Amino acid sequence: NSILASKGYLLALAEREQLVWLGRVWPPRTASHLTHLARARRLVLGTWDHHVSTSGVPEHWHNFVHELRISSEVEDGSLVGDVRTKLAELDAPRTFDVVTGRRELAEIVDSLEVAVRNFEDQPAEETSPDDAALLGVLHLVMVDAAASIGEIALGQTCLRRAIRMAEHPAQGSAPVMLGAMLARGAFLAALDGQPAVAHARVAAFFENSRKVGEPRHVAKTLIRIAQRYPCMDSLNATDTVRRIDPESPFAPFSAEAEALRVLLVHGPGAAIDWATSMLSRGGLSTRPGWEWWPLHAFLALLSAREGRLSTARNWLDRSTFPPSLDLVVRAFVEFASGNRDRALSLVEELRARVDVPNRWRQIATGIWLAAQSQEENGTASRSIMVESQDWETALAPLALLPDAARALILPNLPPDLAELPGLVVGPDIEPPSEVRLTPRQIDILHALDTGRTMGEIGRSMYLSVETVRSTAKALYRRLGVNDRESALAAGRERGFL
């Protein structure tokens, strides 16, 4: 109990097999005054509630605060004490605001850079392996926290610092930390849209695991997500659709990866149904609702692609996306609404940003291609943009592009990929020049543009509500849309309004 009071936080370094061994030899009962032993037992056995946080902060911050609290007897001004105080402030009861959380996370990462430099500047004989380990593990926790709020570039910064600590002479050889770093490196590369890098890190992870033994559950989860995101190894339609436990670590990312696979293999309808069902189950979990932003963005983009603009706008308005992703979603919705110039302006704003994940840049490129496809000139520039990306290894973002962009890209793919249900451009959507509306459909379209209800339109045109509704449905089919807002956008694009 005395040792745990000062060094218990080092349990954060233990691998799964070490925790299993500790669980076997840990005393089944502890006296009430041995508080450190009791806290550590809950951590070792996995019986403490690692998802519930009174503040709603990312679970990764909350988890690490718990691990640090195992050790209470730390010196004032020590590295452990300073870190625990800062994270405890973040974990205090309050309403967590994601925008504020991004700022706070950036401030913590900046302050930790100072701690890392001070540690590296110390004479070798004065450095502590424990402090090196703490700084390394803490930065891995920051990787997880950054990913949870969509700050991929910040996560990569933290990963590089963790590597510096693992390689520090005070730490010595650290194969255990290496596995955790490789898992997070593969995970971040997959989120960033770098499948080749992710694949290389996955291979290195398994090679390291053969040397040091079974990795921790979280590391294995991250590796599975990294393998799943590119969707290249799971395009068999006979594969069972996975059921994701909303309480599992990194569940929102596991769910997004699975939703992308369902989209590619089974098409947009099945993907929307699966993602919506997943979010319904997620809403019953202890995970804060904002953490599901990856699925919110998926549904917003896919809804815009399918012409469901009201649904897309709803997801956009009710979600808190990372700033760069927010620009992408808004650009897509503006394009789908017929506001081409506004969409291009948002794409240019995104291009001016630094540290934008490649996946989101690829979707922005697709929006630009779709917008430019409406111009008679610019064939050469469109060809250059199409060829600038390796779309064969970027099937997930490709599946979320507008029809016009996919129509330009698919001829460059092998036939077996180009014919995937989630990539094909539907033949039931008529090209703009071939859409023909009846006089009554045009009248209904103009009436819809006034904002009146179906009943009000019927009374003004001396038609029954059923006639108005059936005519509107036929109008939607002609325009290849699913709702009033999308019909109005398509009508403006085609010159009917």
Side-chain angles (χ1 to χ4, degrees):
N1 189 71
S2 175
I3 292 172
L4 289 169
S6 59
K7 297 295 185 182
Y9 65 87
L10 292 176
L11 285 171
L13 288 172
E15 283 296 293
R16 179 177 174 273
E17 63 180 13
Q18 295 170 320
L19 291 176
V20 169
W21 182 86
L22 284 172
R24 293 196 193 105
V25 301
W26 214 271
R29 293 184 180 87
T30 56
S32 59
H33 68 282
L34 301 178
T35 55
H36 308 296
L37 198 63
R39 287 176 182 169
R41 183 175 187 272
R42 291 198 298 273
L43 175 65
V44 167
L45 298 180
T47 57
W48 68 287
D49 194 347
H50 61 287
H51 287 296
V52 176
S53 169
T54 56
S55 61
V57 301
E59 65 179 87
H60 316 287
W61 300 5
H62 183 61
N63 293 358
F64 199 67
V65 169
H66 179 90
E67 292 170 346
L68 290 179
R69 282 176 180 160
I70 293 174
S71 310
S72 63
E73 298 175 8
V74 294
E75 298 179 7
D76 292 337
S78 67
L79 178 62
V80 178
D82 290 345
V83 168
R84 190 173 64 187
T85 299
K86 183 61 178 177
L87 291 184
E89 291 173 1
L90 295 176
D91 202 44
R94 62 181 174 137
T95 301
F96 182 73
D97 174 73
V98 181
V99 176
T100 303
R102 289 194 178 98
R103 175 180 53 77
E104 291 176 334
L105 180 61
E107 291 174 355
I108 292 175
V109 172
D110 287 343
S111 65
L112 288 175
E113 171 64 14
V114 176
V116 168
R117 288 178 180 173
N118 291 340
F119 180 81
E120 291 176 329
D121 289 342
Q122 292 178 11
E125 62 274 10
E126 297 180 12
T127 56
S128 164
D130 291 349
D131 283 354
L134 174 64
L135 282 170
V137 172
L138 180 56
H139 277 91
L140 292 182
V141 172
M142 293 297 104
V143 170
D144 300 346
S148 72
I149 56 178
E151 294 294 331
I152 311 304
L154 195 62
Q156 290 168 332
T157 296
C158 293
L159 181 61
R160 287 192 291 270
R161 289 191 201 156
I163 293 172
R164 282 162 58 185
M165 287 297 94
E167 295 176 344
H168 193 276
Q171 177 75 352
S173 177
V176 169
M177 282 189 65
L178 178 60
M181 290 184 296
L182 287 170
R184 283 160 178 82
F187 173 62
L188 290 178
L191 293 185
D192 194 30
Q194 302 181 59
V197 176
H199 179 77
R201 289 174 178 169
V202 167
F205 171 84
F206 285 118
E207 178 62 28
N208 183 72
S209 297
R210 282 191 286 271
K211 297 177 181 177
V212 301
E214 183 76 7
R216 277 182 124 168
H217 174 64
V218 169
K220 291 196 294 185
T221 298
L222 291 172
I223 288 296
R224 282 195 296 268
I225 296 173
Q227 292 174 307
R228 207 73 174 173
Y229 256 110
C231 299
M232 291 300 297
D233 62 343
S234 54
L235 295 179
N236 190 337
T238 61
D239 288 350
T240 303
V241 176
R242 294 176 60 204
R243 182 178 176 86
I244 309 297
D245 178 3
E247 299 284 11
S248 61
F250 301 93
F253 297 101
S254 295
E256 185 196 17
E258 186 64 15
L260 288 165
R261 192 192 76 83
V262 173
L263 170 58
L264 283 165
V265 175
H266 300 287
I272 289 174
D273 290 344
W274 187 92
T276 303
S277 174
M278 180 70 227
L279 284 177
S280 296
R281 291 191 292 115
L284 300 176
S285 70
T286 59
R287 189 180 297 279
W290 61 263
E291 284 197 17
W292 294 99
W293 63 264
L295 267 192
H296 295 170
F298 171 83
L299 284 168
L301 291 166
L302 185 54
S303 296
R305 181 197 123 163
E306 293 301 293
R308 304 179 182 184
L309 290 181
S310 298
T311 303
R313 290 188 185 279
N314 182 47
W315 286 116
L316 183 59
D317 293 339
R318 64 186 285 192
S319 307
T320 304
F321 297 133
S324 297
L325 181 58
D326 186 77
L327 283 175
V328 173
V329 176
R330 290 186 185 280
F332 202 148
V333 172
E334 291 292 344
F335 171 76
S337 302
N339 302 321
R340 174 183 174 276
D341 291 342
R342 175 59 180 157
L344 288 174
S345 175
L346 290 170
V347 168
E348 289 305 314
E349 186 177 344
L350 178 85
R351 287 178 171 176
R353 288 174 172 257
V354 296
D355 298 331
V356 177
N358 189 49
R359 271 204 309 154
W360 303 347
R361 284 193 183 276
Q362 288 170 327
I363 298 174
T365 297
I367 298 169
W368 183 90
L369 284 169
Q372 292 297 332
S373 69
Q374 299 173 355
E375 297 289 327
E376 293 184 3
N377 300 323
T379 302
S381 61
R382 288 195 294 270
S383 297
I384 292 173
M385 290 300 289
V386 168
E387 295 170 2
S388 68
Q389 303 286 337
D390 182 8
W391 295 106
E392 190 172 341
T393 62
L395 298 181
L398 174 57
L400 294 173
L401 301 190
D403 286 355
R406 299 201 316 281
L408 292 172
I409 296 168
L410 292 181
N412 297 299
L413 296 184
D416 60 323
L417 296 181
E419 295 171 2
L420 286 170
L423 295 181
V424 295
V425 178
D428 55 327
I429 300 177
E430 300 180 68
S433 60
E434 298 179 9
V435 173
R436 297 289 184 270
L437 301 182
T438 66
R440 175 168 288 180
Q441 287 171 345
I442 293 175
D443 290 341
I444 292 294
L445 181 62
H446 280 271
L448 291 173
D449 196 29
T450 65
R452 287 177 286 178
T453 65
M454 295 294 186
E456 290 170 339
I457 292 173
R459 286 191 292 273
S460 67
M461 298 179 66
Y462 302 99
L463 298 171
S464 68
V465 176
E466 290 75 15
T467 299
V468 174
R469 284 180 178 151
S470 63
T471 305
K473 287 181 180 178
L475 166 68
Y476 294 169
R477 286 195 297 272
R478 287 283 181 93
L479 295 174
V481 298
N482 296 285
D483 56 35
R484 177 191 294 227
E485 187 177 357
S486 304
L488 295 176
R492 292 189 186 93
E493 181 183 345
R494 291 166 170 81
F496 293 117
L497 292 173

